[in-house]
Amino acid sequence: MMNLRLTGPLALALLAGASSLHGQTMQEMHTHAKSAPSTELQITVDGKTSTVTLAELAAMPQKTVKVHNEHTKKDESYTGVALADLLAKYGFAVGMPTHRKMLHSYLAAEGTDKYWVLYSVTEIEPSEHDAEVIVATSIDGQPLGDDGQLKLVASAEKRPQRWVRNLTAIRLVTVGE
Ligand SMILES: Nc1nc2c(c(=O)[nH]1)N[C@H]1C(S)=C(S)[C@@H](COP(=O)(O)O)O[C@H]1N2
Ligand SMILES: [Mo]
C-alpha cells in the first residue's frame, strides 16, 4: 500500500485548502458577481404563491436590524419588513393552532441567481427565537445597490452566507404532519 503520511509542502497545501472552506479568499471577501436585480418577492405557503411588491413592503411596519458583516468587517444597519410578518400576511401565522406546524416547517429563500438557503420557520419567528430576520429594502438609509431591491438579512449569523441578495422567492415547506 502507498504511504499516505502527509508531510511537507503537500500537507501544507491540503491544510490551506481545508481552511479556505471556512475562511474566505480576499477576492470573495470584497467582490461578488453581479446578478439580475430582484423586483418583487414570491411567497409560497401550502402550494399557494403570492407576489409581494416593493410598494406593499413599504406600506408594512418597518424594522431595522443592526448586524456585523463578517466579510466586510463592517457594522451595517438594514431596514425592511420582518419575515415573520410577511409569512403571517401570506398564509402562515404562528399561534397556538400552528405551533406544531411551525416546528415542522422550513423555508427556502432564493435569489435571482438561484442561490438559496434554508431557515427553519422557528428560527425566523421572533416569539420563539432571538434572531431578527427581515426582508431588507435599504442599508444605512440608502438603497441596497448591487444587492438588489430586496435582501434577506438575519442577525445572529456568524457569516453572511444565509443572507440572500436579490431575494426573489420564499417557499415554506412543512415536513410531515
Ligand atoms: N443571491 C446571492 N446571495 C448570496 C450569495 C450568492 O451567491 N447569491 N452568496 C452568499 C454568501 S456565501 C456570502 S458569504 C454572502 C457574501 O455577501 P457579500 O459578497 O455581499 O459580502 O452573501 C450570501 N448571499
Ligand atoms: Mo460565502
Side-chain angles (χ1 to χ4, degrees), residues 24 28 71 115 161:
Q24 297 85 33
E28 194 198 351
H71 274 188
Y115 179 83
Q161 59 202 359

mmCIF file of all heavy atoms in Angstrom, residues 24 28 71 115 161, ligand 2:
data_model
loop_
_atom_site.group_PDB
_atom_site.id
_atom_site.type_symbol
_atom_site.label_atom_id
_atom_site.label_comp_id
_atom_site.label_asym_id
_atom_site.label_seq_id
_atom_site.Cartn_x
_atom_site.Cartn_y
_atom_site.Cartn_z
ATOM 1 N N GLN A 24 -12.413 32.835 3.862
ATOM 2 C CA GLN A 24 -12.764 33.303 2.535
ATOM 3 C C GLN A 24 -11.493 33.823 1.886
ATOM 4 O O GLN A 24 -10.609 34.295 2.566
ATOM 5 C CB GLN A 24 -13.784 34.452 2.589
ATOM 6 C CG GLN A 24 -15.114 34.063 3.184
ATOM 7 C CD GLN A 24 -15.123 34.142 4.691
ATOM 8 O OE1 GLN A 24 -14.462 34.986 5.281
ATOM 9 N NE2 GLN A 24 -15.851 33.246 5.318
ATOM 10 N N GLU A 28 -13.206 36.793 -2.498
ATOM 11 C CA GLU A 28 -14.589 36.528 -2.087
ATOM 12 C C GLU A 28 -15.030 37.535 -1.039
ATOM 13 O O GLU A 28 -16.192 37.904 -0.964
ATOM 14 C CB GLU A 28 -14.709 35.101 -1.529
ATOM 15 C CG GLU A 28 -16.158 34.665 -1.405
ATOM 16 C CD GLU A 28 -16.367 33.478 -0.495
ATOM 17 O OE1 GLU A 28 -15.373 32.865 -0.068
ATOM 18 O OE2 GLU A 28 -17.528 33.188 -0.202
ATOM 19 N N HIS A 71 -17.753 39.511 6.518
ATOM 20 C CA HIS A 71 -16.938 39.603 5.304
ATOM 21 C C HIS A 71 -16.334 40.984 5.123
ATOM 22 O O HIS A 71 -15.156 41.117 4.851
ATOM 23 C CB HIS A 71 -17.782 39.253 4.073
ATOM 24 C CG HIS A 71 -17.812 37.783 3.830
ATOM 25 N ND1 HIS A 71 -18.367 37.231 2.693
ATOM 26 C CD2 HIS A 71 -17.359 36.750 4.566
ATOM 27 C CE1 HIS A 71 -18.236 35.916 2.766
ATOM 28 N NE2 HIS A 71 -17.643 35.596 3.884
ATOM 29 N N TYR A 115 -29.129 31.230 -6.066
ATOM 30 C CA TYR A 115 -28.508 30.921 -4.769
ATOM 31 C C TYR A 115 -29.642 30.798 -3.764
ATOM 32 O O TYR A 115 -30.567 31.606 -3.758
ATOM 33 C CB TYR A 115 -27.576 32.066 -4.359
ATOM 34 C CG TYR A 115 -26.889 31.873 -3.019
ATOM 35 C CD1 TYR A 115 -25.733 31.113 -2.918
ATOM 36 C CD2 TYR A 115 -27.395 32.449 -1.853
ATOM 37 C CE1 TYR A 115 -25.098 30.936 -1.692
ATOM 38 C CE2 TYR A 115 -26.767 32.282 -0.630
ATOM 39 C CZ TYR A 115 -25.620 31.526 -0.559
ATOM 40 O OH TYR A 115 -24.992 31.355 0.658
ATOM 41 N N GLN A 161 -23.466 34.163 5.017
ATOM 42 C CA GLN A 161 -23.823 33.187 3.975
ATOM 43 C C GLN A 161 -25.320 32.891 3.862
ATOM 44 O O GLN A 161 -25.774 32.439 2.816
ATOM 45 C CB GLN A 161 -23.049 31.879 4.198
ATOM 46 C CG GLN A 161 -23.314 31.248 5.555
ATOM 47 C CD GLN A 161 -22.214 30.310 6.008
ATOM 48 O OE1 GLN A 161 -21.240 30.096 5.308
ATOM 49 N NE2 GLN A 161 -22.376 29.748 7.198
HETATM 50 MO MO MO B 2 -19.671 32.732 1.440
#
